[in-house]
Structures are given as C-alpha cells and as structure tokens.
Amino acid sequence: MSTKEANEKGWNELDIIIVTGDAYVDHPGFGTSIIARVLEDAGYRVGVIAQPGWDNTDDFKKLGKPRLFFAISAGNTDSMVSNYTPSKRLRHEDVYSPGNKTGLRPNRAVIVYSNRLREAFPDVPQVIGGIEASLRRFAQYDYWSDKVRQSILADSPADLIVYGMGELQILEIADRLNKGKAISGINDIDGTVWKMDIRSWKEKKEDTLGECIEIPPYTEVSKSKELYANAFRIIYEEQDHIRGHCIVQVHPKTVIVQNRPMRPLTTEELDHVYELPYTRETHPSYNEPVPALDMVKFSINTHRGCFGACSFCAIALHQGRMIRSRSIGSILMEAEGFRNIRGFKGTINGLGGPSANMYGMECSKWEKKGVCKNKVCIHPDACPSLDTSHKKLIELMRRLRELPGISKVFVGYGVRYDLALLDEEYMEELCAHHISGQLKVAPEHYCNSVTSVMKKPGREVFERFEQKFTDINKKVGKDQYLVAFLMSGHPGCTLGDMIETAEYIRDTGRYTRQVQDFTPTPMTAATCMFHTGTDPFTGKKVYVATSQKEKSIQRAMLHYKEPSNHNLVYEGLKRANRLDLAGNSWNCLIGRKKGGKNGW
C-alpha cells in the first residue's frame, strides 16, 4: 500500500495496482485480497490503493504507474448499497471502513475511480470487476436514480469487465498483457465483457450472430419494460459456462459484448486459492479496526455457488448455480492454521459459503449439460437429479471437531432449511454440536404467494423445520432457538399479504426484530420485477409496492408492536379495509386511535 513497502520487497515498479472502495483486509472473505494474492502467487508485483480520495488524482498516483494495468473494484458490495439504506437515506456506518466510518467511498465508485485513473494515467489499461461492475455489466435498473442506466462499461473509460468470480480471468489478462498483447485485442476470454465501436459491430454482425445472442439495445430497454424483462431473462438463462452464449447489447455510443461465463474453479484450484498466505488481518497502516473482519476472521469458506436461485439474490448471476467445493483436507489445513493467529481462542464462528449446507452437493447433469435453463434445483421441490445428501458435510464437521485446538465449530447462519429437512442425520449433527444457542434462518415471509415469487420454500416447510428443530434439540438435550429473518416490500407482496403475515406472527408468537425492507439491487430477478411489474420468466404481472410510503407501511406491519409504528400500521389497515384489527380485542394488532399525533 506504499512505495516504502514495495522498496522493502525490492520492487522498484509495480505490475498491477488494485484500487478498491473497501479498506484493505488480507482475508479470503475479501475479493481484493483474493485477487491480490492470486496475482502475487503467479509472480506479479501487486499494489493496493484502498479508499482513495476522489476529489483529485493525488491518491491514485501514490504508487506510481503500473507496468501492466489497474484493477478497479467498489469493494465487497455495490457502493450504492454501502452508502444508502433501502429508504435511500445515507447510512451511518460502513463495516468495510476503519472505525465503521462512512464517506470514504464515492457513489458509483467504479465509474469515479475509473475516470480519475484515466485522468492521471491516460495510457494505462483498466480492468473493472467485483460485485458493482459484475452486476452492472448490461443496461440495468438503478433503484437510487429510478432509471435504467447504461452498462458500467459504457459509462466508464475502463477497457474490460471481469464478471463473476475472477481469478482465472485476471490471470489470463495479466499474462497476455505481460507478453505484449494490447488491451484492445483482448476480447476472447470467458467471463469478461468488452466493447467495440458501432461501425465494427455493423460490419461483423452477420458473422457474429451465429455465436452470439443480441438482446434489445439500451435505447429500447430503457423505455420498454417488456423488452427490459425479456433481456433480463436471456441474460439469466445464458449464465452457464457449458451451454451459455456470448451476449451483445448495443448502446448509443458503443456495443457491449459479454463472452460466455468462465468455468468455475476445480476443487484443486479452489483449494490453492484459499491456501495462499493470507494474514487474516487489516493492513498495519490502520489505527482503527474494520468491523467486517471481526464477522469473518475465523470463519471458513467451504464452497462457492448456490442453486437456491432466490429472486432477490444475485449469486446466481455472479458465482453461478453450480456448487464447487473445497477438499476436506484443505479446509482442515486452514482450520489448523488458526492456532497460529493472534486472538484465536479455539472457536470457528462460521462454516459454509453462500449457503451453509450445500457443501459437496452436485447434480448428475451439471458436468455435461450445465444447469437447467428453465428450472430451479430446489423450488418448488428438490429435483431428483440433485444429490441432496449431507454426508460430505457431516464428515467435514466431525473431522473439524476432532482437530487439536479447535473447541467449537459454529454454523450460526446460512442453513437452507428445506435442504436440511431432507437429512435428519445432518440436523442432529447440527443441533448437537454446531449451534451456539441460536440458529439464524430466513423464511423471508409467511405468505405462500410471496415466497413463491421469491422462490423460497413456503410457510409449511418452515413450520416442519421448526418442529423438527425443536424435537431434535430435546433429543440431544439442548436449549436452542431459531431466529427468523423476514423481508417486507418484495415484489408480489401486497398490503393484504403483510397483514396476513402480521396476523400469523401474532397467532404463532414469531415476532422478530430481524426485518429488512427489500432493496432492488442490480441484476436480480426481483429487481427486474420491481422495475417492470412482470415476472421475467413467466411473463405474468406481479404486484409491486413502489412508493416509499407503502414500503414503510409494509415494514411497519412486521413490527406492529412498536408504538412508533402505530400510525403507519393504522394507515395500512385503513387502506386495506381491516380496521377490525385496530382496537382492544384479543386479536387486534394495535389499539384504538384516540386522536392527536400519538394518541393510542
């Protein structure tokens, strides 16, 4: 992060400089660290500029000019999500910054950083990646401006996007540039997006369309919600490295070309990435802790990918739906290494990936045919071709518990409970050894019409899991509880659905503090529904609460007991013609309004 550190390594020049919107934390839970370590492992000299000031170019020049290229990322999250709440208010905390401080990254960080670097170093190639660039690679609905924005590659002077998990792509780009290839000639690497001028596209279009799919151009999807939904469906269905095609989208001043997705890493490659010498510490230049590290410092990533394909989640379009798992030996070696790290007290506080219990699961069709184009592996039910056995995971958990110096291995969150229900041995293992009093699960909603749109299991599945959880805890002699996470304002959710859910919470005693309002983040199916009012896969209309007032009312329904929410709950009940739930009888959600601002 400084020329002094480079000199200490004997480097008088850097090959690649990574610019990131997060503080620099050398931990495999942070994308910048993984990419930096992978490049270093390949022999490249890598520098990191973390959270640079963007009012001028000074911070962008502090490591000098890289020999090969700049790699640019907003950090572990989209910068707009980092900076704003679902109600579009500025956040008061940023867990990826020292001391939880806000204001250390700009809005639309990738575009801002790219422009500043082009100003400072006009001739240096730029490769953008990470969540923000990956999920804004095509024309995309932007919740914060309430409009369809161009591809981030059209909005920035960058040369290439690395989308998805980027180790293989970034190494190939580095190797080609190192051999003297011009960045303008690098346009055939899987898992990358590049741009060509409109004249060239018109000349090559007839020859190229046999290999590529052209989706409606920006000028059309920005005006037509129907075309936007169709474009999203094609992008989603082609997100497969085996059967996926190149996709082209014309923009007013350039043409965006996405090559087919990069293959996932093999088990051996994944092991190698996670066995690189991460310190699992913040950079020593920081005087304050970075809170995000505390959450994951002694956790272990066991696999990548998620076949759940929840509508509100972008993992399917970033990591993919195929599961790629590390070997048990590699995971055990990482756990053993914790004993040499300052502050480790014997507890591994997280074990899993995007989900906690998809480790080792595979489909018999994935290797030859890829993921199914028009099906979801476990919705509404698990596909017979999918191996839902938890045997490999159970073996892993047992072997971790046997390691000297490891006293506890907790799985406190991320369990896909519809999968867990299919394997009682796993649930017994989980309850007996791997929960620290509470298990966080995410039913998201208790109205089946809403969970269907979410592609989540219905209420009855959660009830069966809760009962099984209770029974097994009694069997193993544990006093443990479920903490349920719920979501309001998701597409498909009406005010009536929220009232039904509030009544269900009232009747079952499932009142929870863990509630979030749906945020339309880039490139999710739910965001497409929010913008278009249409399910992109079925073409059916979907109800959407678009006004901030209705979104606030929906969220207030889940916390109907809070006096500060009573005015909003009352307004919602009035709108739905359900004032029978405002009064003094046993089944009322709130008391009777007496008049005055807070008279209840």
Side-chain angles (χ1 to χ4, degrees), residues 312 412-414 417 438-446 454 456 462 482-488 510 512-516 558:
F312 51 82
Y413 54 90
Y417 55 83
Q438 295 181 339
L439 177 65
K440 298 173 183 177
V441 291
E444 304 295 1
H445 212 280
Y446 294 129
M454 292 176 165
K456 291 282 289 186
F462 176 72
L482 292 179
V483 177
F485 284 69
L486 300 178
M487 184 184 294
S488 64
R510 291 191 171 96
T512 178
R513 305 295 307 171
Q514 314 303 325
V515 172
Q516 64 173 332
L558 295 178

Short mmCIF file of all heavy atoms in Angstrom, two decimals, residues 312 412-414 417 438-446 454 456 462 482-488 510 512-516 558:
data_model
loop_
_atom_site.label_atom_id
_atom_site.label_comp_id
_atom_site.label_asym_id
_atom_site.label_seq_id
_atom_site.Cartn_x
_atom_site.Cartn_y
_atom_site.Cartn_z
N PHE A 312 -34.39 -12.46 -5.03
CA PHE A 312 -33.80 -11.21 -4.56
C PHE A 312 -32.27 -11.28 -4.45
O PHE A 312 -31.63 -10.34 -4.01
CB PHE A 312 -34.37 -10.84 -3.19
CG PHE A 312 -34.32 -11.96 -2.18
CD1 PHE A 312 -33.17 -12.24 -1.48
CD2 PHE A 312 -35.43 -12.75 -1.96
CE1 PHE A 312 -33.12 -13.28 -0.57
CE2 PHE A 312 -35.40 -13.80 -1.05
CZ PHE A 312 -34.24 -14.06 -0.35
N GLY A 412 -23.92 -20.68 12.53
CA GLY A 412 -24.99 -19.88 13.12
C GLY A 412 -25.95 -19.27 12.13
O GLY A 412 -26.97 -18.70 12.50
N TYR A 413 -25.65 -19.40 10.83
CA TYR A 413 -26.49 -18.74 9.83
C TYR A 413 -26.29 -19.44 8.48
O TYR A 413 -25.37 -20.24 8.30
CB TYR A 413 -26.09 -17.27 9.68
CG TYR A 413 -24.62 -17.07 9.38
CD1 TYR A 413 -24.14 -17.03 8.08
CD2 TYR A 413 -23.68 -16.98 10.41
CE1 TYR A 413 -22.79 -16.89 7.82
CE2 TYR A 413 -22.33 -16.83 10.15
CZ TYR A 413 -21.89 -16.79 8.85
OH TYR A 413 -20.54 -16.66 8.59
N GLY A 414 -27.18 -19.15 7.54
CA GLY A 414 -27.00 -19.62 6.17
C GLY A 414 -27.50 -21.02 5.90
O GLY A 414 -27.31 -21.54 4.79
N TYR A 417 -33.02 -24.42 5.07
CA TYR A 417 -33.73 -25.36 5.93
C TYR A 417 -34.56 -26.38 5.15
O TYR A 417 -34.84 -27.47 5.65
CB TYR A 417 -34.60 -24.63 6.97
CG TYR A 417 -35.60 -23.65 6.43
CD1 TYR A 417 -36.84 -24.06 5.97
CD2 TYR A 417 -35.32 -22.29 6.42
CE1 TYR A 417 -37.76 -23.15 5.48
CE2 TYR A 417 -36.24 -21.37 5.94
CZ TYR A 417 -37.46 -21.81 5.47
OH TYR A 417 -38.37 -20.90 5.00
N GLN A 438 -28.40 -20.12 19.20
CA GLN A 438 -29.35 -19.61 18.21
C GLN A 438 -28.91 -19.99 16.81
O GLN A 438 -27.73 -19.98 16.48
CB GLN A 438 -29.45 -18.09 18.30
CG GLN A 438 -30.02 -17.55 19.60
CD GLN A 438 -30.12 -16.03 19.60
OE1 GLN A 438 -29.44 -15.36 18.83
NE2 GLN A 438 -30.95 -15.49 20.46
N LEU A 439 -29.89 -20.32 15.98
CA LEU A 439 -29.64 -20.56 14.57
C LEU A 439 -30.46 -19.55 13.77
O LEU A 439 -31.68 -19.47 13.92
CB LEU A 439 -30.05 -21.98 14.18
CG LEU A 439 -29.91 -22.34 12.70
CD1 LEU A 439 -28.44 -22.31 12.28
CD2 LEU A 439 -30.53 -23.70 12.39
N LYS A 440 -29.77 -18.79 12.94
CA LYS A 440 -30.45 -17.78 12.12
C LYS A 440 -30.89 -18.42 10.80
O LYS A 440 -30.07 -18.98 10.07
CB LYS A 440 -29.50 -16.60 11.85
CG LYS A 440 -29.07 -15.88 13.11
CD LYS A 440 -28.01 -14.83 12.80
CE LYS A 440 -27.52 -14.14 14.09
NZ LYS A 440 -26.44 -13.17 13.82
N VAL A 441 -32.17 -18.31 10.52
CA VAL A 441 -32.71 -18.84 9.27
C VAL A 441 -33.57 -17.76 8.63
O VAL A 441 -34.00 -16.81 9.28
CB VAL A 441 -33.55 -20.12 9.50
CG1 VAL A 441 -32.66 -21.27 9.91
CG2 VAL A 441 -34.65 -19.88 10.52
N ALA A 442 -33.83 -17.91 7.34
CA ALA A 442 -34.50 -16.83 6.60
C ALA A 442 -35.73 -17.34 5.85
O ALA A 442 -35.66 -17.57 4.64
CB ALA A 442 -33.52 -16.17 5.64
N PRO A 443 -36.86 -17.49 6.55
CA PRO A 443 -38.09 -17.79 5.81
C PRO A 443 -38.51 -16.64 4.91
O PRO A 443 -39.23 -16.84 3.95
CB PRO A 443 -39.11 -18.05 6.93
CG PRO A 443 -38.57 -17.34 8.12
CD PRO A 443 -37.08 -17.43 8.00
N GLU A 444 -38.08 -15.43 5.25
CA GLU A 444 -38.32 -14.18 4.49
C GLU A 444 -39.77 -13.70 4.53
O GLU A 444 -40.04 -12.51 4.56
CB GLU A 444 -37.87 -14.30 3.03
CG GLU A 444 -36.42 -14.70 2.85
CD GLU A 444 -35.41 -13.69 3.36
OE1 GLU A 444 -35.80 -12.64 3.88
OE2 GLU A 444 -34.20 -13.96 3.24
N HIS A 445 -40.72 -14.64 4.53
CA HIS A 445 -42.13 -14.25 4.53
C HIS A 445 -42.97 -15.44 4.96
O HIS A 445 -42.52 -16.59 4.84
CB HIS A 445 -42.56 -13.77 3.14
CG HIS A 445 -43.62 -12.70 3.17
ND1 HIS A 445 -44.95 -12.96 3.38
CD2 HIS A 445 -43.52 -11.36 3.03
CE1 HIS A 445 -45.63 -11.82 3.34
NE2 HIS A 445 -44.78 -10.83 3.14
N TYR A 446 -44.18 -15.19 5.45
CA TYR A 446 -45.06 -16.27 5.85
C TYR A 446 -46.29 -16.39 4.98
O TYR A 446 -47.23 -17.10 5.31
CB TYR A 446 -45.48 -16.09 7.31
CG TYR A 446 -44.34 -16.21 8.29
CD1 TYR A 446 -44.11 -15.23 9.25
CD2 TYR A 446 -43.49 -17.30 8.27
CE1 TYR A 446 -43.06 -15.32 10.16
CE2 TYR A 446 -42.44 -17.42 9.17
CZ TYR A 446 -42.23 -16.42 10.12
OH TYR A 446 -41.19 -16.54 11.00
N MET A 454 -40.56 -15.27 -4.50
CA MET A 454 -39.17 -15.23 -4.03
C MET A 454 -38.38 -16.48 -4.42
O MET A 454 -37.17 -16.49 -4.33
CB MET A 454 -39.14 -15.13 -2.50
CG MET A 454 -39.64 -13.83 -1.92
SD MET A 454 -39.62 -13.94 -0.10
CE MET A 454 -39.80 -12.22 0.36
N LYS A 456 -38.65 -19.16 -2.62
CA LYS A 456 -38.30 -19.67 -1.29
C LYS A 456 -39.34 -20.71 -0.89
O LYS A 456 -40.47 -20.69 -1.37
CB LYS A 456 -38.30 -18.53 -0.26
CG LYS A 456 -37.19 -17.53 -0.43
CD LYS A 456 -35.85 -18.05 0.09
CE LYS A 456 -35.85 -18.12 1.61
NZ LYS A 456 -34.51 -18.48 2.15
N PHE A 462 -41.28 -24.23 6.57
CA PHE A 462 -40.65 -23.64 7.74
C PHE A 462 -41.22 -24.21 9.02
O PHE A 462 -40.48 -24.49 9.98
CB PHE A 462 -40.82 -22.12 7.73
CG PHE A 462 -40.27 -21.44 8.95
CD1 PHE A 462 -38.90 -21.33 9.14
CD2 PHE A 462 -41.11 -20.95 9.94
CE1 PHE A 462 -38.38 -20.74 10.28
CE2 PHE A 462 -40.60 -20.36 11.08
CZ PHE A 462 -39.23 -20.25 11.24
N LEU A 482 -34.51 -20.69 17.18
CA LEU A 482 -34.41 -20.16 15.83
C LEU A 482 -34.61 -18.65 15.86
O LEU A 482 -35.47 -18.14 16.58
CB LEU A 482 -35.49 -20.77 14.92
CG LEU A 482 -35.37 -22.25 14.59
CD1 LEU A 482 -36.54 -22.68 13.70
CD2 LEU A 482 -34.04 -22.57 13.92
N VAL A 483 -33.82 -17.95 15.08
CA VAL A 483 -34.01 -16.52 14.86
C VAL A 483 -34.39 -16.35 13.39
O VAL A 483 -33.59 -16.66 12.50
CB VAL A 483 -32.74 -15.71 15.18
CG1 VAL A 483 -32.95 -14.24 14.87
CG2 VAL A 483 -32.34 -15.90 16.64
N ALA A 484 -35.61 -15.91 13.15
CA ALA A 484 -36.12 -15.82 11.78
C ALA A 484 -35.90 -14.43 11.21
O ALA A 484 -36.15 -13.42 11.88
CB ALA A 484 -37.61 -16.17 11.76
N PHE A 485 -35.46 -14.39 9.96
CA PHE A 485 -35.28 -13.13 9.24
C PHE A 485 -36.42 -12.98 8.23
O PHE A 485 -36.70 -13.92 7.47
CB PHE A 485 -33.93 -13.11 8.51
CG PHE A 485 -32.76 -12.86 9.41
CD1 PHE A 485 -32.37 -13.82 10.35
CD2 PHE A 485 -32.06 -11.68 9.35
CE1 PHE A 485 -31.29 -13.60 11.19
CE2 PHE A 485 -30.98 -11.44 10.19
CZ PHE A 485 -30.60 -12.40 11.10
N LEU A 486 -37.02 -11.80 8.21
CA LEU A 486 -38.16 -11.54 7.34
C LEU A 486 -37.88 -10.35 6.43
O LEU A 486 -37.06 -9.49 6.76
CB LEU A 486 -39.43 -11.29 8.15
CG LEU A 486 -39.89 -12.41 9.08
CD1 LEU A 486 -41.13 -11.98 9.86
CD2 LEU A 486 -40.17 -13.69 8.30
N MET A 487 -38.60 -10.28 5.32
CA MET A 487 -38.43 -9.20 4.35
C MET A 487 -39.79 -8.60 4.01
O MET A 487 -40.76 -9.32 3.80
CB MET A 487 -37.77 -9.73 3.08
CG MET A 487 -37.46 -8.66 2.05
SD MET A 487 -36.79 -9.35 0.51
CE MET A 487 -35.21 -10.00 1.09
N SER A 488 -39.82 -7.29 3.95
CA SER A 488 -41.04 -6.59 3.53
C SER A 488 -40.83 -5.96 2.17
O SER A 488 -39.69 -5.73 1.74
CB SER A 488 -41.40 -5.50 4.55
OG SER A 488 -40.39 -4.51 4.60
N ARG A 510 -44.23 -15.55 16.62
CA ARG A 510 -42.98 -15.48 15.88
C ARG A 510 -42.53 -14.03 15.64
O ARG A 510 -41.91 -13.72 14.62
CB ARG A 510 -43.11 -16.21 14.54
CG ARG A 510 -43.24 -17.72 14.69
CD ARG A 510 -43.10 -18.43 13.35
NE ARG A 510 -43.01 -19.86 13.53
CZ ARG A 510 -44.02 -20.70 13.44
NH1 ARG A 510 -45.23 -20.22 13.17
NH2 ARG A 510 -43.86 -21.99 13.62
N THR A 512 -40.27 -10.98 15.51
CA THR A 512 -38.81 -10.94 15.40
C THR A 512 -38.32 -9.52 15.14
O THR A 512 -39.02 -8.72 14.52
CB THR A 512 -38.33 -11.86 14.25
OG1 THR A 512 -36.90 -11.77 14.14
CG2 THR A 512 -38.94 -11.46 12.91
N ARG A 513 -37.12 -9.25 15.61
CA ARG A 513 -36.50 -7.95 15.34
C ARG A 513 -35.81 -7.95 13.99
O ARG A 513 -35.48 -6.88 13.46
CB ARG A 513 -35.46 -7.62 16.42
CG ARG A 513 -35.97 -7.67 17.85
CD ARG A 513 -37.00 -6.61 18.13
NE ARG A 513 -36.56 -5.27 17.77
CZ ARG A 513 -37.34 -4.20 17.76
NH1 ARG A 513 -38.63 -4.32 18.05
NH2 ARG A 513 -36.86 -3.01 17.43
N GLN A 514 -35.57 -9.13 13.43
CA GLN A 514 -34.75 -9.25 12.23
C GLN A 514 -35.59 -9.04 10.97
O GLN A 514 -36.05 -9.99 10.34
CB GLN A 514 -34.07 -10.62 12.19
CG GLN A 514 -33.43 -11.03 13.50
CD GLN A 514 -32.41 -10.03 14.02
OE1 GLN A 514 -31.71 -9.41 13.26
NE2 GLN A 514 -32.36 -9.86 15.33
N VAL A 515 -35.79 -7.79 10.63
CA VAL A 515 -36.63 -7.42 9.48
C VAL A 515 -35.86 -6.46 8.58
O VAL A 515 -35.17 -5.55 9.06
CB VAL A 515 -37.93 -6.74 9.96
CG1 VAL A 515 -38.71 -6.18 8.78
CG2 VAL A 515 -38.79 -7.75 10.72
N GLN A 516 -35.95 -6.67 7.28
CA GLN A 516 -35.36 -5.73 6.34
C GLN A 516 -36.34 -5.44 5.22
O GLN A 516 -37.18 -6.27 4.87
CB GLN A 516 -34.05 -6.26 5.76
CG GLN A 516 -34.21 -7.52 4.91
CD GLN A 516 -32.92 -7.91 4.22
OE1 GLN A 516 -32.08 -7.07 3.92
NE2 GLN A 516 -32.74 -9.20 3.96
N LEU A 558 -44.65 -5.65 10.14
CA LEU A 558 -43.88 -6.71 10.77
C LEU A 558 -43.45 -6.34 12.19
O LEU A 558 -43.13 -7.21 13.00
CB LEU A 558 -42.64 -7.04 9.91
CG LEU A 558 -42.94 -7.63 8.53
CD1 LEU A 558 -41.65 -7.85 7.76
CD2 LEU A 558 -43.73 -8.93 8.64
#
